[in-house]
């Protein structure tokens, strides 16, 4: 398969449109190789070609049929067009049309057609010229980016022109708005996710045609209109009032602020203060109901303050450095309300949230955190707690009823897993409680079963600390961005400590329950075994806010 790429961006290979084209081409090549063929690709960069404008002399029709009188690079272009099975026209949208040099190249297509007048079968326009060469089976694709937020209605004149040149419905298009975002490394997680669909489109194009679902994904906006326009306005680095160039770090901070999602506002205005230690500059971002605003005079009262070098913050934004890891390593500090950091993805990450074309979640950066996979199938702690609680509440008082209630709870718990994901702890708990209930039902000593149940429960928590995901993290990660949280050292150490604390508590409860029952003080058990976990619950709520905030502020290394 011969493929010709005509790259008509004046930026050459730095072109946004060319990034899409290259990716589309990768998809085509993959598909060609998959079907046992080989793709021969020739790329032309219009800016490097010498192509003068058409002279309008019609000598390519009269004096030298099929041959232009101008001797420049167009001769080669025409030959390659005849050689190619697929021609990809890659260009930026300029004034709702193609860039001038490409229009020159298109005007110079005249030698490819014969002069005679012909009625068009597709009814486009009021006549056309028959082709001079057999073009049967040749295919065309147009790939382009434009600067406005959407490609919709922006390409009317381009499509109208190619309808006339190629015939309506005979060519494929990939048109993408917000094109300049492909040049912003901080947004690569979103643009890469888009490119994954472009690659898929390339595969499908070669296999027959771009599928409806892929086309729908390609037509989705990279970012919502409002977010994009705020980012685009900020990106010029020009002060709105004075029209003068502004400090780079301010432009960067404004772009970050533009990503704020006001629908994440929870009734509380926040002021994020960023102090770039290497530049000795401080900016404040007000995060409110109506959106975000950057303040440079320090007049706001900060609720969260980040102290970082500008270099580091840029790298984190680009996704080159893991922000959570850097925080755990004390490479930057966070003071004040740490809650903003734990909800960072909600505030700044979700504007362009989506998964890659193959279902993989996109990575970090400003744009798209690896989001919560299967958000409606999160596990719930009640899934494994209920059987234990039922057993502990009834078995010490009425062993037979307790045994039956324990088994009933284990039998009913799976109902929860219709809507919630089941974890290994749900499974262990189900088997454990069912086993202990049977022990009691078989008339074996209830004291041993109850104390053993607390010990087993405590051991489950403690042993999970030795694995890669401590028990509490298996559930709480869904409140902190899903699987992304597992890469956050602060989240993991907080959960490891808390899980160990719960494990130790239940080992103790197992021991004192034994002594209380042994000493005839079983009635006290009801009280102590409720109060102690309740106190631990309070401690957990406090610790999971206090500990990460303390570490983030650079204390307790
Ligand atoms: C001279 C000029 C005209 C442009 N006209 C339009 C336009 O009409 N509509 C639009 O959405 N973007 C327009 N843009 C923005 C470009 O299409 C956009 O920046 C595109 O992503 C550039 O692609 P490239 O990197 O492949 O050259 C224009 C840009 C320039 C420089």
């Amino acid at each position: 398969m011969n493929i010709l790429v005509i790259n008509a961006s004046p930026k050459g290979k730095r072109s946004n449109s060319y990034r899409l084209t290259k990716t589309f081409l990768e998809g085509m090549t993959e598909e060609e190789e998959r079907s046992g063929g080989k793709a021969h690709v020739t790329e032309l960069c219009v800016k490097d070609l010498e192509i003068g404008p058409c002279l309008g002399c019609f000598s390519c029709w009269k004096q030298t049929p099929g041959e232009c009188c101008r001797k420049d690079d167009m001769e080669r272009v025409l030959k390659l067009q005849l050689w190619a099975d697929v021609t990809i026209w890659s260009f930026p949208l300029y004034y709702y049309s193609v860039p001038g040099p490409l229009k020159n190249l298109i005007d110079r297509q005249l030698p490819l057609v014969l002069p005679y007048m012909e009625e068009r079968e597709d009814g486009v326009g009021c006549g056309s010229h028959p082709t001079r060469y057999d073009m049967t089976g040749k295919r065309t694709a147009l790939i382009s980016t434009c600067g406005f937020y959407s490609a919709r209605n922006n390409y009317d004149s381009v499509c109208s022109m190619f309808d006339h040149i190629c015939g309506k419905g005979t060519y494929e298009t990939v048109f993408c708005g917000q094109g300049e975002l492909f040049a912003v490394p901080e947004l690569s997680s979103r643009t890469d996710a888009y490119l994954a669909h472009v690659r898929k489109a390339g595969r499908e194009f070669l296999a027959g045609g771009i599928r409806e679902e892929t086309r729908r994904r390609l037509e989705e906006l990279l970012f919502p209109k409002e977010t994009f326009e705020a980012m685009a306005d900020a990106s010029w680095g020009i002060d709105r009032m004075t029209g003068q160039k502004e400090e780079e770090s301010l432009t960067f901070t404004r772009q970050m602020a533009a990503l704020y999602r006001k629908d994440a506002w929870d009734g509380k205005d926040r002021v994020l203060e960023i102090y770039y230690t290497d530049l000795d500059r401080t900016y404040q971002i007000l995060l409110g109901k109506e959106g975000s605003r950057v303040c440079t005079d320090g007049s706001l009262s900060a609720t969260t303050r980040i102290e970082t070098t500008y270099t580091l913050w840029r790298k984190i934004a680009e996704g080159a450095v893991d922000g959570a890891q850097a925080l755990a390593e004390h490479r930057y500090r966070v003071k004040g309300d740490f809650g903003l950091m734990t909800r960072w993805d909600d505030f700044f990450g979700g504007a362009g949230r989506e998964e890659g074309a193959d279902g993989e979640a996109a990575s970090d950066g400003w744009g798209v955190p690896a989001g919560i996979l299967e958000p409606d199938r999160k596990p719930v702690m009640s899934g494994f707690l209920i059987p234990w609680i039922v057993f502990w509440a009834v078995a010490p008082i009425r062993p037979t009823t307790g045994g039956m209630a324990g088994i009933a709870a284990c039998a009913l718990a799976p109902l929860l897993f219709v809507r919630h994901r089941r974890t290994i702890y749900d499974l262990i708990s189900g088997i454990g409680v069912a086993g202990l209930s049977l022990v009691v039902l078989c008339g074996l000593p209830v004291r041993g079963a109850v104390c053993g149940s607390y010990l087993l429960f405590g051991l489950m928590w403690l042993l999970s600390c030795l694995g890669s995901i401590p028990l509490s993290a298996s559930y709480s990660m869904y409140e902190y961005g899903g699987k992304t949280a597992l890469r956050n050292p602060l989240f993991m150490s907080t959960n490891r400590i808390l899980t160990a604390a719960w494990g130790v508590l239940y080992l103790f409860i197992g021991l004192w329950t034994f002594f209380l029952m042994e000493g005839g003080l079983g009635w006290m058990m009801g009280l102590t075994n409720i109060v102690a976990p309740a106190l631990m619950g309070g401690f957990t709520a406090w610790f999971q806010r206090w500990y990460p905030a303390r570490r983030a502020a650079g204390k307790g290394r």
Side-chain angles (χ1 to χ4, degrees):
M1 156 103 29
N2 298 336
I3 303 170
L4 172 65
V5 175
I6 300 177
N7 174 4
S9 168
K11 296 186 215 156
K13 295 206 167 177
R14 287 187 304 105
S15 143
N16 303 313
S17 313
Y18 179 71
R19 274 203 69 190
L20 267 63
T21 302
K22 211 160 69 79
T23 313
F24 191 82
L25 208 53
E26 282 164 12
M28 285 178 73
T29 312
E30 275 166 24
E31 180 60 27
E32 179 66 1
E33 282 168 9
R34 198 192 58 79
S35 55
K38 182 154 172 43
H40 304 279
V41 182
T42 301
E43 294 189 17
L44 292 176
C45 204
V46 177
K47 80 174 172 65
D48 299 331
L49 300 177
E50 198 201 316
I51 298 176
C54 172
L55 298 176
C57 62
F58 291 112
S59 63
C60 62
W61 279 358
K62 291 187 290 184
Q63 282 86 348
T64 51
E67 220 176 279
C68 182
C69 63
R70 294 200 75 153
K71 297 300 166 209
D72 57 15
D73 287 330
M74 198 57 208
E75 274 180 282
R76 190 169 148 238
V77 176
L78 294 175
K79 276 192 190 123
L80 282 168
Q81 281 183 268
L82 294 174
W83 162 85
D85 300 303
V86 176
T87 300
I88 302 179
W89 302 78
S90 174
F91 57 90
L93 187 72
Y94 275 8
Y95 280 94
Y96 311 98
S97 185
V98 297
L102 180 58
K103 182 64 172 63
N104 259 351
L105 189 150
I106 291 172
D107 292 348
R108 298 279 302 275
Q109 301 281 294
L110 211 61
L112 293 182
V113 294
L114 293 163
Y116 317 117
M117 300 296 168
E118 197 179 62
E119 257 330 295
R120 296 183 65 107
E121 279 173 16
D122 58 9
V124 172
C126 49
S128 69
H129 300 292
T131 58
R132 187 179 293 276
Y133 304 96
D134 180 12
M135 306 298 250
T136 327
K138 287 188 187 289
R139 299 177 69 195
T140 305
L142 313 186
I143 301 181
S144 175
T145 59
C146 65
F148 288 130
Y149 79 95
S150 166
R152 197 162 23 90
N153 301 336
N154 240 351
Y155 283 86
D156 294 351
S157 31
V158 171
C159 287
S160 170
M161 178 165 69
F162 275 88
D163 282 355
H164 283 88
I165 299 173
C166 305
K168 209 177 172 70
T170 63
Y171 57 93
E172 280 286 5
T173 58
V174 176
F175 295 147
C176 179
Q178 310 186 14
E180 288 303 329
L181 300 189
F182 287 92
V184 183
E186 286 86 352
L187 302 175
S188 62
S189 51
R190 175 65 186 103
T191 46
D192 284 353
Y194 186 89
L195 288 172
H197 297 301
V198 174
R199 183 190 300 269
K200 199 161 179 239
R203 286 201 296 263
E204 293 172 2
F205 171 70
L206 204 85
I210 302 175
R211 291 204 197 119
E212 207 40 56
E213 167 62 11
T214 312
R215 176 145 303 288
R216 201 180 55 71
R217 301 307 289 261
L218 292 175
E219 280 164 11
E220 276 170 12
L221 300 182
L222 288 178
F223 284 87
K225 176 178 186 286
E226 206 180 323
T227 309
F228 164 71
E229 289 179 347
M231 269 195 295
D233 289 350
S235 71
W236 299 109
I238 304 292
D239 186 297
R240 249 181 202 268
M241 308 298 280
T242 64
Q244 297 301 309
K245 188 140 184 59
E246 67 184 12
E247 165 65 27
E248 183 195 305
S249 59
L250 175 57
T251 305
F252 172 75
T253 308
R254 280 195 207 285
Q255 285 179 280
M256 187 180 100
L259 278 170
Y260 170 67
R261 292 173 61 223
K262 62 183 182 200
D263 53 347
W265 187 75
D266 53 5
K268 194 167 106 184
D269 281 358
R270 292 173 169 83
V271 175
L272 170 62
E273 184 170 280
I274 304 192
Y275 174 51
Y276 297 124
T277 51
D278 46 349
L279 305 179
D280 193 21
R281 281 183 189 275
T282 305
Y283 302 112
Q284 295 180 319
I285 309 173
L286 174 66
L287 307 170
K289 189 180 179 184
E290 302 302 331
S292 66
R293 181 166 62 82
V294 176
C295 178
T296 52
D297 60 7
S299 58
L300 304 174
S301 170
T303 52
T304 303
R305 177 176 161 96
I306 296 175
E307 293 176 1
T308 175
T309 62
Y310 176 60
T311 329
L312 175 66
W313 201 244
R314 279 213 80 137
K315 283 196 177 136
I316 291 172
E318 284 169 22
V321 170
D322 186 315
Q325 183 74 38
L327 183 58
E329 290 166 2
H330 305 288
R331 292 169 66 190
Y332 70 95
R333 293 197 295 183
V334 179
K335 292 178 176 169
D337 175 19
F338 191 70
L340 175 65
M341 304 307 286
T342 54
R343 292 195 54 211
W344 188 269
D345 293 345
D346 294 341
F347 287 121
F348 295 104
R353 179 172 290 175
E354 79 134 276
E355 287 176 4
D358 300 318
E360 79 280 18
S363 62
D364 285 323
W366 268 356
V368 196
I372 299 166
L373 298 170
E374 298 184 65
D376 53 342
R377 291 263 298 148
K378 298 174 199 168
V380 276
M381 270 212 175
S382 45
F384 85 91
L385 285 180
I386 289 171
W388 294 103
I389 292 171
V390 168
F391 182 76
W392 291 330
V394 193
I397 308 160
R398 293 180 183 277
T400 312
T401 319
M404 289 194 310
I407 288 183
C410 293
L412 291 175
L415 289 179
L416 272 174
F417 306 127
V418 175
R419 301 204 54 201
H420 297 279
R421 186 183 297 180
R422 186 204 290 263
T423 70
I424 179 74
Y425 306 108
D426 299 327
L427 199 66
I428 296 174
S429 297
I431 296 170
V433 174
L436 289 160
S437 301
L438 281 176
V439 165
V440 172
L441 285 175
C442 291
L444 293 166
V446 71
R447 194 177 302 162
V450 172
C451 299
S453 69
Y454 283 120
L455 294 177
L456 186 65
F457 187 75
L459 270 178
M460 181 171 77
W461 284 76
L462 265 183
L463 291 177
S464 79
C465 290
L466 304 176
S468 57
I469 310 177
L471 191 150
S472 64
S474 306
Y475 297 86
S476 61
M477 68 179 180
Y478 294 92
E479 310 304 322
Y480 296 95
K483 288 186 177 167
T484 331
L486 302 179
R487 286 192 275 120
N488 183 334
L490 274 187
F491 172 82
M492 291 305 274
S493 55
T494 307
N495 275 279
R496 222 171 272 284
I497 295 170
L498 284 172
T499 299
W502 279 94
V504 170
L505 173 75
Y506 272 90
L507 290 188
F508 274 112
I509 291 183
L511 290 178
W512 79 55
T513 300
F514 177 78
F515 288 117
L516 288 176
M517 289 177 96
E518 192 78 353
L521 297 169
W523 58 271
M524 275 183 72
M525 217 177 78
L527 190 67
T528 54
N529 294 3
I530 290 172
V531 171
L535 288 175
M536 182 60 106
F539 169 76
T540 301
W542 167 80
F543 185 83
Q544 65 191 11
R545 281 198 311 274
W546 173 82
Y547 179 73
R550 182 180 146 83
R551 291 276 308 273
K555 296 174 197 155
R557 293 179 192 208

